[in-house]
Amino acid sequence: MRRFGELEQQIMDTAWAADRPLTVRQMLQCVDRDPPPAYTTVMTVMDNLHRKGFLVRCRQGRAWSYRPAESRADHDARLMAEVLGSSADPAATLLRFVGRMSPEELNRLRALMPEPPGGGR
Amino acid sequence: MNVAPLLIAYAGLLTFAGPVLLRRARWTDKAPRLALATWFSLAGSAVAAAVLSGVVLVVPYHPVGGGLPGFLRSCLAALDHQWGPTGARLVATTALLVTAVTAARLAYAAVVVLSRQHRTRRAHLDGIRLRARPDRRTGTLLLDRATPAAWCLPGDGGTVVVTTGALRAVDAAGLAAVLAHERAHLAGRHHVLTDLARVLRRAFPGLPLFAQLPAQVDRLVELRADDVAAGRSSRRGVATALLALALSGAPRAALAASGGDTVRRVERLLAAPERLTGLARGGVVTGNAASLLLPVMLAAVPAFTVAQLCCR
């Protein structure tokens, strides 16, 4: 199973909120968990995130310091672009409930709507 | 007479006429699963015929003895006899090329496409997991985005991702329909089918049957998932959920060029369900089996020779 899912999220959130690259030790001080995670755990998770390309690192003295590879907004925008299909073959990797539609198709869909949806517009 | 030209003609017929006939057929939307089986039967028969055509060119018809060396000698002798010494070499080379190139292209495309798909999905899911929270109630990953969307990814038993925008767009019944649709994709291993279609397109580019396969498979797995979801809730329920998700929220980045099938899906769900009769169904199944068996049977004589060789 995914052992570090929540911790991964916390570490990325901390990295996104920080205004400078953080070392493992600095990250350990920022992550608010009870019980506090072990140094080696945080190091492992940060190394994993670096390996997956979410964190980039540079030498700071004798330790590595890490910062996000892209901003949180860019990260979210990229994920949604992968879903909504800006690539040439969007259905190739994931199967979506509703695909892309042209304005003309949207108009035809509106005509099919049996009754106006409750609330909203 | 050698059956190699027959096999090549058969492969050509399937590749060029097959997609025209199948796209014109009326029954495919009534039985999407059967239609998927038919598309892949056509593709499988065409590939098998091409591979076997090379084999039958070099393998002689009459039974031979003397183990592998004897077998090869008799192959060459038969070729010599039929085509003359120079012709024999040419025929043997052509035959081996046809078989080897077809098989190698397929294997190479499979490696390239499948590993790329795996990597892309892995990276996407890793990115999602940094931002989504697991929703125990629905067993999905919930992503806090206003754009209504729901999608699924295979691996680790499959993952369904839903945005908060999608939750706002549908009611409880609508959400159940959406989830049933996505789980039908996962349970039906639809990603395997869409991947396989792309492997075949990459292996044999430019040939109509293989060029059209991905779009057709994408369309048919959606129809199949709609049908499964409709069985869990109702056809009207799935149609309503589709409309709600399609029409709500911010206008999508609408690219006029990309033809979707959402309108067709909604119309199909709102109309009375259409079933194929048992007879029609049996006819299609028989046709699929026959199309797959034909190249094997055409090649059966040389295959029989090889079998005899192995038994001695």
Side-chain angles (χ1 to χ4, degrees):
Chain A
M1 260 324 279
R2 294 187 40 79
R3 288 150 62 210
F4 301 131
E6 232 178 288
L7 185 56
E8 269 190 344
Q9 284 195 357
Q10 273 190 337
I11 284 175
M12 277 313 287
D13 282 337
T14 311
W16 272 319
D19 51 2
R20 62 197 166 85
L22 298 176
T23 62
V24 174
R25 194 157 297 285
Q26 288 163 332
M27 181 63 78
L28 194 59
Q29 285 158 2
C30 293
V31 171
D32 180 29
R33 276 170 85 89
D34 189 37
Y39 178 88
T40 49
T41 307
V42 174
M43 191 174 69
T44 305
V45 172
M46 289 175 78
D47 190 53
N48 283 343
L49 289 168
H50 165 251
R51 201 167 32 78
K52 291 176 188 171
F54 298 118
L55 291 176
V56 292
R57 65 183 187 184
C58 55
R59 276 270 179 215
Q60 209 167 62
R62 279 161 55 199
W64 290 107
S65 69
Y66 297 79
R67 64 179 169 78
E70 55 186 352
S71 75
R72 180 155 34 193
D74 286 349
H75 178 89
D76 288 350
R78 183 176 49 78
L79 288 180
M80 289 314 285
E82 284 167 14
V83 175
L84 300 174
S86 46
S87 74
D89 192 8
T93 46
L94 41 87
L95 295 171
R96 298 160 300 172
F97 187 59
V98 187
R100 269 193 303 196
M101 279 171 294
S102 65
E104 185 246 357
E105 252 191 307
L106 276 174
N107 284 334
R108 282 170 63 200
L109 272 184
R110 283 198 189 94
L112 286 173
M113 199 74 175
E115 61 206 63
R121 55 204 97 183
Chain B
M1 199 208 116
N2 200 292
V3 293
L6 279 181
L7 283 167
I8 290 290
Y10 180 66
L13 184 73
L14 292 178
T15 307
F16 289 92
V20 177
L21 291 175
L22 199 46
R23 283 183 66 178
R24 235 184 255 164
R26 282 289 181 82
W27 60 268
T28 52
D29 281 13
K30 298 180 197 169
R33 204 163 33 153
L34 198 55
L36 283 165
T38 306
W39 277 100
F40 282 112
S41 293
L42 285 184
S45 315
V47 173
V51 170
L52 289 172
S53 72
V55 176
V56 298
L57 264 182
V58 289
V59 177
Y61 281 71
H62 51 84
V64 289
L68 189 62
F71 170 68
L72 291 177
R73 254 199 310 280
S74 70
C75 286
L76 286 174
L79 287 172
D80 256 357
H81 176 72
Q82 200 176 351
W83 308 94
T86 343
R89 219 164 281 161
L90 196 69
V91 169
T93 314
T94 314
L96 288 177
L97 269 181
V98 168
T99 299
V101 166
T102 307
R105 288 196 70 95
L106 197 57
Y108 179 70
V111 170
V112 171
V113 171
L114 296 181
S115 64
R116 186 196 62 206
Q117 296 289 72
H118 180 77
R119 262 198 322 274
T120 315
R121 287 184 182 129
R122 187 85 250 166
H124 180 76
L125 195 55
D126 283 340
I128 294 288
R129 278 174 171 154
L130 291 180
R131 301 292 289 141
R133 60 178 189 277
D135 185 46
R136 290 252 163 67
R137 198 169 47 83
T138 56
T140 61
L141 286 181
L142 195 55
L143 191 63
D144 194 7
R145 303 302 293 168
T147 316
W151 63 102
C152 65
L153 293 146
D156 306 340
T159 310
V160 178
V161 191
V162 181
T163 62
T164 46
L167 289 191
R168 272 194 291 276
V170 293
D171 57 9
L175 180 64
V178 172
L179 296 183
H181 175 102
E182 295 305 323
R183 290 194 179 118
H185 279 319
L186 295 172
R189 300 188 183 282
H190 291 172
H191 294 89
V192 176
L193 301 181
T194 57
D195 284 356
L196 190 56
R198 281 160 179 83
V199 167
L200 287 161
R201 178 177 62 183
R202 191 185 165 103
F204 311 111
L207 298 173
L209 173 60
F210 302 102
Q212 293 178 29
L213 205 54
Q216 291 298 323
V217 170
D218 289 354
R219 193 181 73 84
L220 289 166
V221 296
E222 292 306 328
L223 298 189
R224 172 66 189 159
D226 281 346
D227 287 351
V228 175
R232 296 273 158 82
S233 55
S234 71
R235 297 175 72 81
R236 202 173 179 78
V238 180
T240 313
L242 259 174
L243 282 170
L245 270 201
L247 296 176
S248 69
R252 296 165 179 272
L255 276 175
S258 79
D261 304 292
T262 315
V263 176
R264 172 77 194 113
R265 280 168 64 195
V266 173
E267 283 173 344
R268 180 174 170 273
L269 285 165
L270 290 176
E274 289 186 288
R275 286 264 163 74
L276 271 191
T277 61
L279 194 65
R281 196 167 269 279
V284 175
V285 171
T286 313
N288 288 348
S291 82
L292 281 168
L293 275 177
L294 189 68
V296 178
M297 279 170 33
L298 282 175
V301 181
F304 181 65
T305 314
V306 175
Q308 264 188 333
L309 165 82
C310 296
C311 293
R312 273 172 200 217

